[in-house]
């Protein structure tokens, strides 16, 4: 079936006495030693720079982004509370690697355990949280994998909550970016913990391992990781002029290099790209004739707010192409896809989203259907 195509101009041409010069080409992303990396625009999810980002790697402590995400889900559902008193098991106490130094048999607030995991990267805190929510670390890891599938993390599998090496425990730079985006989007208030530079527990003060928090005041998270197998990793996020970017760098040779390389990626993205909100979810973008329905017209729009990331100075060159089914027959339910909404830049596709019915339109009366039958016939 052929689709009717309607072209809508998104950008506005600049008005002035000077002729716009051709924009300079976007340079290649910075080059550095890393097994993989990705740079993502937070609002649109657009990938701005990529190197082996779908390659499976050891996530190390970046695993704890998912651990925290599950805890935030449980908090939002009221299954646990920040003032819960969590009993510390011997398994949590005996955990190896980075620690917040909780003691077996202690009772620690869930809030303190969250800070110990997020700021101090405590493996002991991570296991204690998992046991409090799911009973065992294994059961919690099962929940992590369910959520990974729901979020579209196609190349991730979790067998523990800490990131300690395991052949069946893996992710990708792209999946970490998707997960980070979901966590910040869904839980902005919880995310604020990632900006805290230090946390003191049991009179032991430990700094946040994300040194970008000291180097760049636009950075507000998120997580470092290291194991011998994974080498040095960092997922970072920053906001400048209402644009948020997420960078994920995996497998760099040192803690200094993961910081410098993440900074280089963020600077590259902010220097060469801009992010815009084009349309609001639920806004009527087009209106089409509805045959045999209660209403003669049906409004079409988007299910989610639409954002786009484009090279600096090229917003006015964007166009929206709306493809709609030529004959829309009742009944139609709210949310049914009736077309496609595509954004292009100088003939190249930027993004594509389903165009949906914004209201239900059931079948009309016998008389309505009869009239529409003859109108369509002639």
């Amino acid at each position: 079936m052929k689709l009717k195509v309607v072209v809508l101009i998104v950008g506005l041409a600049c008005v002035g006495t000077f002729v716009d010069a051709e924009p300079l080409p976007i340079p290649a992303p910075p080059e550095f030693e890393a097994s993989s990396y990705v740079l993502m625009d937070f609002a649109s999810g657009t990938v701005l720079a990529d190197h082996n980002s779908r390659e499976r790697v050891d996530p190390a402590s970046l695993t704890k982004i998912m651990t925290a995400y599950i805890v935030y889900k449980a908090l939002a559902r009221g299954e646990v509370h920040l003032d819960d008193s969590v009993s510390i098991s011997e398994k949590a106490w005996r955990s190896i690697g980075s620690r917040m130094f909780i003691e077996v048999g202690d009772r620690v607030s869930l809030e303190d355990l969250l800070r110990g995991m997020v700021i101090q990267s405590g493996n002991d805190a991570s296991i204690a949280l998992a046991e409090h929510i799911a009973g065992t670390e294994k059961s919690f890891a099962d929940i992590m994998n369910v959520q990974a599938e729901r979020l579209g993390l196609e190349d991730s599998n979790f067998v523990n909550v800490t990131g300690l090496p395991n052949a069946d425990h893996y992710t990708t730079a792209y999946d970490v970016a998707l997960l980070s985006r979901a966590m910040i989007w869904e839980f902005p208030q919880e995310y604020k913990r990632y900006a805290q530079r230090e946390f003191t527990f049991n009179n032991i003060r430990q700094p946040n391992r994300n040194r970008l928090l000291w180097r760049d005041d636009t950075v507000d998270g998120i997580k470092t990781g290291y194991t011998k197998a994974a080498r040095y990793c960092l997922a970072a996020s920053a906001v400048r002029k209402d644009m948020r970017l997420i960078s994920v760098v995996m497998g760099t040779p040192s803690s200094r290099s993961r910081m410098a390389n993440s900074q280089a990626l963020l600077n590259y993205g902010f220097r060469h790209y801009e992010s815009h909100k084009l349309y609001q979810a639920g806004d009527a973008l087009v209106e089409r004739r509805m045959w045999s329905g209660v209403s003669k017209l049906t409004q079409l729009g988007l299910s989610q707010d639409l954002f786009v990331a484009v090279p600096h100075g090229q917003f006015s060159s964007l166009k929206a192409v709306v493809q709609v089914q030529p004959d829309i027959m009742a009944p139609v339910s709210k949310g049914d896809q009736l077309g496609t909404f595509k954004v292009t830049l100088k003939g190249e596709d930027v993004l594509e989203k389903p165009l949906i019915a914004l209201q239900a339109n059931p079948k009309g009366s016998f008389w309505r259907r009869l009239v529409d039958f003859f109108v369509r016939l002639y």
Side-chain angles (χ1 to χ4, degrees):
M1 179 185 295
K2 287 188 176 182
L3 299 180
K4 185 180 294 184
V5 177
V6 179
V7 179
L8 306 173
I9 302 298
V10 176
L12 297 176
C14 296
V15 178
T17 57
F18 298 99
V19 177
D20 288 343
E22 182 69 20
L24 292 173
I26 300 294
E31 295 183 0
F32 49 82
E33 183 181 349
S35 60
S36 59
Y37 68 73
V38 68
L39 179 67
M40 179 180 288
D41 172 52
F42 169 75
S44 66
T46 302
V47 172
L48 307 180
D50 173 280
H51 171 66
N52 296 335
S53 71
R54 306 296 182 109
E55 182 179 279
R56 290 181 179 179
V57 292
D58 187 327
S61 282
L62 299 193
T63 298
K64 292 164 187 161
I65 301 173
M66 176 60 89
T67 307
Y69 181 81
I70 304 301
V71 176
Y72 300 153
K73 282 277 189 184
L75 284 168
R77 290 193 295 260
E79 297 171 0
V80 295
H81 304 86
L82 291 176
D83 59 0
D84 282 359
S85 180
V86 179
S87 179
I88 306 305
S89 71
E90 184 171 348
K91 179 180 179 180
W93 172 66
R94 287 188 180 276
S95 61
I96 61 174
S98 53
R99 301 166 54 82
M100 71 174 285
F101 300 105
I102 50 182
E103 298 291 337
V104 64
D106 281 356
R107 300 199 70 87
V108 182
S109 73
L110 190 144
E111 172 69 56
D112 279 346
L113 290 173
L114 262 177
R115 293 180 188 276
M117 178 177 67
V118 166
I119 302 167
Q120 299 172 336
S121 197
N123 290 342
D124 48 0
S126 303
I127 293 173
L129 286 166
E131 291 176 339
H132 182 64
I133 290 173
T136 66
E137 183 179 14
K138 183 183 182 305
S139 295
F140 192 95
D142 291 340
I143 298 173
M144 295 167 74
N145 288 320
V146 170
Q147 290 299 318
E149 183 176 0
R150 184 186 68 82
L151 292 170
L153 311 188
E154 297 179 354
D155 294 294
S156 295
N157 189 68
F158 301 98
V159 299
N160 61 58
V161 300
T162 60
L164 291 174
N166 186 296
D168 295 323
H169 190 87
Y170 53 81
T171 190
T172 67
Y174 180 75
D175 280 2
V176 172
L178 279 185
L179 172 60
S180 300
R181 181 173 182 252
M183 189 260 289
I184 299 170
W185 193 287
E186 294 181 43
F187 306 108
Q189 293 303 313
E190 307 291 354
Y191 172 68
K192 291 180 180 179
R193 291 185 187 87
Y194 288 89
Q196 296 180 25
R197 296 184 178 185
E198 62 179 39
F199 177 56
T200 300
F201 184 80
N202 271 349
N203 297 317
I204 302 172
R205 181 175 64 87
Q206 296 189 68
N208 195 314
R209 289 167 169 79
N210 182 4
R211 306 306 294 178
L212 276 180
L213 295 173
W214 284 264
R215 180 170 177 167
D216 182 345
D217 61 8
T218 70
V219 172
D220 57 9
I222 44 184
K223 190 76 190 70
T224 61
Y226 171 78
T227 63
K228 186 176 180 180
R231 301 204 294 173
Y232 293 88
C233 311
L234 174 59
S237 186
V239 179
R240 301 180 195 172
K241 296 182 179 179
D242 298 324
M243 181 182 186
R244 178 182 289 279
L245 295 179
I246 297 170
S247 67
V248 180
V249 175
M250 310 295 292
T252 66
S254 68
S255 60
R256 181 180 294 274
S257 64
R258 72 183 173 191
M259 177 181 66
N261 298 337
S262 298
Q263 182 78 82
L265 277 178
L266 292 171
N267 288 344
Y268 170 82
F270 286 121
R271 170 65 182 85
H272 297 292
Y273 290 90
E274 56 190 79
S275 184
H276 295 274
K277 182 177 180 179
L278 300 184
Y279 299 105
Q280 181 110 357
D283 284 353
L285 302 185
V286 291
E287 198 170 54
R288 285 291 176 267
R289 180 69 160 90
M290 170 67 71
W291 299 104
S292 302
V294 171
S295 301
K296 284 188 176 182
L297 298 173
T298 188
Q299 294 181 331
L300 309 181
L302 302 169
S303 62
Q304 297 178 329
D305 294 349
L306 186 66
F307 297 85
V308 65
V310 294
H312 274 306
Q314 298 192 34
F315 178 67
S316 61
S317 298
L318 288 176
K319 291 184 179 180
V321 180
V322 178
Q323 298 175 307
V324 185
Q325 296 177 19
D327 288 307
I328 304 177
M329 301 292 298
V332 167
S333 298
K334 182 178 180 180
D336 283 353
Q337 181 174 351
L338 299 177
T340 302
F341 187 89
K342 183 185 295 184
V343 177
T344 66
L345 178 64
K346 298 181 178 179
E348 297 291 330
D349 291 350
V350 174
L351 57 83
E352 185 174 311
K353 298 292 182 181
L355 197 62
I356 63 168
L358 297 179
Q359 305 92 18
N361 198 343
K363 280 187 178 181
S365 64
F366 172 78
W367 177 249
R368 166 64 67 193
R369 284 179 280 143
L370 183 65
V371 168
D372 280 358
F373 173 79
F374 283 106
V375 170
R376 293 181 68 229
L377 188 64
Y378 296 103

